Amino acid sequence: RPSCAREYAVGAFQTAIDIWRTQINSPVPIVVDAQYQSLGSTLLGLAGFRNVFSNFPGAPLANVFYPVPIANKLSGVDRDVEKADISITLNSSANWSYAIDGVPVAGKPDFVSAVLHELGHGLGFAGSASINSITGLGQIGLMGRPYVFDTNAADSANTGIVDASVYPAGSVALANLIKGTGVAGPGLFWKGAN
């Protein structure tokens, strides 16, 4: 028999899914593998897409990786039927508020908000830019290809983070931009329509 907290977690998780359902539409079902387990005392949750695809029929940009939920939607085909599209783990040890009314509870992290956030990562709200821990140089992409999210990240002058003439992979300039100390000013910004 599941614990009361687990039952509340399932209901709150479904509330988050229902909210996302009002914002996205795909001809291919999005399969989520959700876990509820102890993640220690500092981490509320983690999530991500399980695979990426590029250069598939229907891909708007060449040589760009699309997370599986986006690739499935654009192509109208389940590109990876063997596994779930999104993997998410929420901390069963956290002192959650499982309220589904949107009213914050003082001193408790909001479970619905955490699930919304983590599902967002699984749906593709995640970039690939990083700083190499050994060289200190900026990197972007996987096998030389950025994620589609990266194509909408820009500096304060609206120069895209994937513009290799300004921010080449393996460069100090890219590392500085990621750290927020870029030549065009601090920070990364969204340059996409939405």
Side-chain angles (χ1 to χ4, degrees), residues 60-156:
L61 301 172
N63 301 319
V64 170
F65 277 122
Y66 291 81
V68 65
I70 298 173
N72 288 351
K73 175 186 170 74
L74 293 171
S75 66
V77 174
D78 189 341
R79 308 204 70 75
D80 192 358
V81 296
E82 297 299 317
K83 29 183 180 179
D85 304 316
I86 298 171
S87 176
I88 182 171
T89 304
L90 281 298
N91 192 346
S92 62
S93 300
N95 185 24
W96 293 107
S97 165
Y98 297 104
I100 59 173
D101 58 6
V103 178
V105 176
K108 292 187 171 203
D110 182 66
F111 192 79
V112 172
S113 295
V115 174
L116 285 168
H117 173 96
E118 297 303 340
L119 285 173
H121 289 313
L123 290 167
F125 289 88
S128 68
S130 64
I131 299 173
N132 184 296
S133 62
I134 297 169
T135 65
L137 301 176
Q139 305 173 140
I140 193 162
L142 178 66
M143 300 182 299
R145 295 179 181 177
Y147 291 171
V148 69
F149 184 90
D150 299 324
T151 65
N152 287 300
D155 64 18
S156 58

Side-chain angles (χ1 to χ4, degrees), residues 41-57:
S41 62
T42 58
L43 188 62
L44 292 177
L46 50 100
F49 38 86
R50 300 291 288 278
N51 209 341
V52 292
F53 296 91
S54 66
N55 301 327
F56 53 87

